[in-house]
Amino acid sequence: MNEQISDPRPLLDVGNTLPRQHPCENFALPSPPRPSDRKRMGPRPCPVCYVPVEEAIARMPHIPSPSPVLWNLTYVHEENPVRTEPFGGSEFGGYPSLKQRNDSFDVKESMNVHCGFVRGRKPGIDSGFDIDDSDLLEMEQCRGVVVASAIFGNYDIIQQPKSISEDAKQNVCFYMFVDEETEAYMKNSGSLDDRKKVGLWRIIVVRNLPYVDARRNGKIPKLLLHRIFPNARFSIWIDGKLELVVDPYQILERFLWQKNATFAISRHYRRFDVFVEAEANKVAAKYDNASIDFQIDFYRSEGLTPYSEAKLPITSDVPEGCVIIREHIPITNLFTCLWFNEVDRFTSRDQLSFSTVRDKIMSKVDWSVSMFMDCERRNFVVQRCVGAHGSSNCCSGKDSSSTNVT
């Protein structure tokens, strides 16, 4: 049975082309720090050129970007999915077989793929990751830009967005997903008002979480926003530990519309090779070593090789995945569905599966992910130092600066 949700077939490629002279065209990033400049070493923000909010809004494309090859995307629905192979993900993901996994990378004009929420009659209802009907109805009304985040396990303190324009406050949907534990803490602390809001954030309580691991639960809204916001055009995902300090319209203009991109993510500031990233995850005990080794060995058997200059213009195989900027069109929706399926099948460390999914899709269609520098990412989101339980959770990047061009 197929869920009757599909992406509209895009029309002509108009409205996405910038004027010949963009205000930020001549803006240059600063040079890397000198080895002797110890105070400037390590991860930090760098200046980014943004156009004023009004101009950014004016540059929003009027129609969806073209989706190469893929025009119609639907999603697998099974009321009682059955595991048929020793490893194949979860009930929430539908236990896709290896054949189904491999077929999902063969991009065609019309496709039906596993994409979470397999048991539910619609995402958020009787599917795991369940959301109240009234909240789902409100989320369906978000037809423009959504900024989303999540806190599960009451681990992080909600950070309020700053430097947000009145246009964005009125027209951008700000949604924070929380579990019942986090909701209880917010009620006890008095931070949740009668409108289910904390500042700009509209709070959505999620019940019946499908995974024991809070980090894996967090990958559902992170990668499957197009399923729970079926009418949104653009989205910005930020991890719950981060504070947004630049207007969403300026971010979208800078990283999508200015570059004619449909998916943007920053690359890791230090690592760009999946094999190196896997070893770093093992050293930091991010996941059990055997599972990481199994995943990497599987990818190696499929042809994954260490990163080298032969992959240029691709600049990295490892993203810093705490921020995702995307347009919701069939090809980007397929990308995040298949990325989620890898997280469901293997480890929750999405940095390990990113390049495999990207490269398999790129081998079939003329599409790519825009990977920008991590110092640029640190310009528009800031990580604060203390979690909800008092734990140190700090990184550099508080002195972010930006340039507005008039």
Side-chain angles (χ1 to χ4, degrees):
M1 179 177 178
N2 296 342
E3 177 187 342
Q4 296 302 309
I5 296 179
S6 62
D7 293 281
R9 185 168 177 157
L11 301 175
L12 298 176
D13 181 17
V14 296
N16 289 20
T17 303
L18 289 169
R20 184 169 298 178
Q21 180 68 37
H22 188 275
C24 293
E25 184 174 331
N26 296 321
F27 178 79
L29 289 168
S31 301
R34 298 185 304 274
S36 60
D37 190 359
R38 296 180 181 274
K39 293 182 179 180
R40 298 293 292 168
M41 296 300 289
R44 66 190 189 281
C46 57
V48 174
C49 180
Y50 303 104
V51 298
V53 173
E54 297 77 10
E55 186 169 349
I57 294 172
R59 290 173 177 272
M60 179 186 293
H62 298 298
I63 66 169
S65 299
S67 178
V69 179
L70 177 61
W71 290 339
N72 185 58
L73 183 63
T74 56
Y75 309 107
V76 171
H77 171 82
E78 294 179 5
E79 292 185 3
N80 297 295
V82 177
R83 185 191 296 273
T84 60
E85 296 174 351
F87 75 105
S90 67
E91 185 178 57
F92 177 79
Y95 305 119
S97 68
L98 280 175
K99 183 181 185 306
Q100 288 171 320
R101 172 190 180 269
N102 294 337
D103 288 346
S104 68
F105 290 111
D106 185 15
V107 183
K108 301 175 181 178
E109 181 177 315
S110 184
M111 298 180 67
N112 180 251
V113 300
H114 288 80
C115 194
F117 303 102
V118 165
R119 289 186 298 114
R121 54 189 172 89
K122 66 181 291 186
I125 297 181
D126 301 325
S127 61
F129 204 83
D130 292 335
I131 298 170
D132 291 346
D133 287 348
S134 58
D135 291 334
L136 285 172
L137 181 62
E138 181 180 304
M139 291 158 63
E140 289 174 2
Q141 305 310 308
C142 183
R143 299 180 179 276
V145 176
V146 58
V147 176
S149 188
I151 296 176
F152 296 135
N154 193 29
Y155 183 72
D156 293 299
I157 295 175
I158 292 180
Q159 305 292 339
Q160 282 304 314
K162 294 181 180 177
S163 303
I164 307 300
S165 67
E166 289 302 317
D167 283 303
K169 290 178 181 178
Q170 294 296 319
N171 299 307
V172 172
C173 310
F174 290 86
Y175 279 89
M176 175 72 69
F177 296 90
V178 303
D179 56 9
E180 293 173 276
E181 178 186 355
T182 307
E183 178 197 27
Y185 173 83
M186 293 165 61
K187 285 183 175 179
N188 290 336
S189 65
S191 59
L192 186 63
D193 67 21
D194 294 338
R195 299 174 302 156
K196 300 181 181 178
K197 295 191 74 173
V198 176
L200 280 179
W201 294 110
R202 170 69 162 85
I203 304 301
I204 301 294
V205 180
V206 183
R207 310 180 198 282
N208 191 24
L209 291 169
Y211 303 110
V212 175
D213 180 6
R215 294 186 183 220
R216 201 184 293 270
N217 285 321
K219 299 302 188 291
I220 297 172
K222 175 177 180 177
L223 299 179
L224 304 183
L225 279 178
H226 63 283
R227 299 221 58 194
I228 49 183
F229 291 95
N231 299 311
R233 291 190 62 200
F234 301 95
S235 66
I236 300 173
W237 166 266
I238 63 174
D239 280 2
K241 62 192 175 186
L242 300 176
E243 176 187 4
L244 185 68
V245 294
V246 172
D247 191 86
Y249 289 118
Q250 292 177 301
I251 295 170
L252 288 164
E253 195 284 330
R254 170 65 181 82
F255 295 101
L256 290 189
W257 307 334
Q258 185 185 143
K259 297 179 177 293
N260 285 327
T262 58
F263 193 101
I265 192 169
S266 67
R267 56 184 183 258
H268 197 278
Y269 76 96
R270 177 180 296 165
R271 296 185 289 274
F272 46 85
D273 182 275
V274 175
F275 296 94
V276 176
E277 176 66 16
E279 291 304 313
N281 274 252
K282 289 161 62 176
V283 169
K286 296 289 188 179
Y287 211 87
D288 71 90
N289 290 1
S291 296
I292 292 175
D293 287 338
F294 179 81
Q295 182 173 4
I296 296 303
D297 288 343
F298 183 91
Y299 290 158
R300 183 187 286 111
S301 72
E302 289 193 314
L304 177 67
T305 59
Y307 181 83
S308 70
E309 291 185 356
K311 289 194 174 186
L312 291 173
I314 293 173
T315 55
S316 176
D317 283 346
V318 181
E320 176 51 75
C322 58
V323 172
I324 294 176
I325 309 166
R326 58 182 287 215
E327 181 178 359
H328 293 197
I329 58 174
I331 195 67
T332 61
N333 295 345
L334 175 68
F335 173 69
T336 54
C337 283
L338 303 190
W339 191 7
F340 173 81
N341 290 346
E342 297 297 287
V343 169
D344 183 58
R345 178 180 291 271
F346 296 107
T347 73
S348 62
R349 306 306 298 169
D350 53 33
Q351 297 94 331
L352 302 181
S353 50
F354 166 82
S355 66
T356 289
V357 179
R358 177 200 64 191
D359 293 351
K360 284 179 178 290
I361 292 178
M362 285 179 58
S363 71
K364 297 291 184 178
V365 299
D366 183 17
W367 175 82
S368 184
V369 172
S370 175
M371 297 189 75
F372 54 92
M373 293 196 301
D374 190 60
C375 70
E376 296 175 276
R377 190 267 306 174
R378 292 172 186 270
N379 177 281
F380 62 85
V381 289
V382 175
Q383 183 171 339
R384 295 307 183 189
C385 296
V386 180
H389 299 300
S391 59
S392 177
N393 208 14
C394 189
C395 72
S396 62
K398 295 182 180 181
D399 57 338
S400 72
S401 59
S402 61
T403 300
N404 276 282
V405 177
T406 58

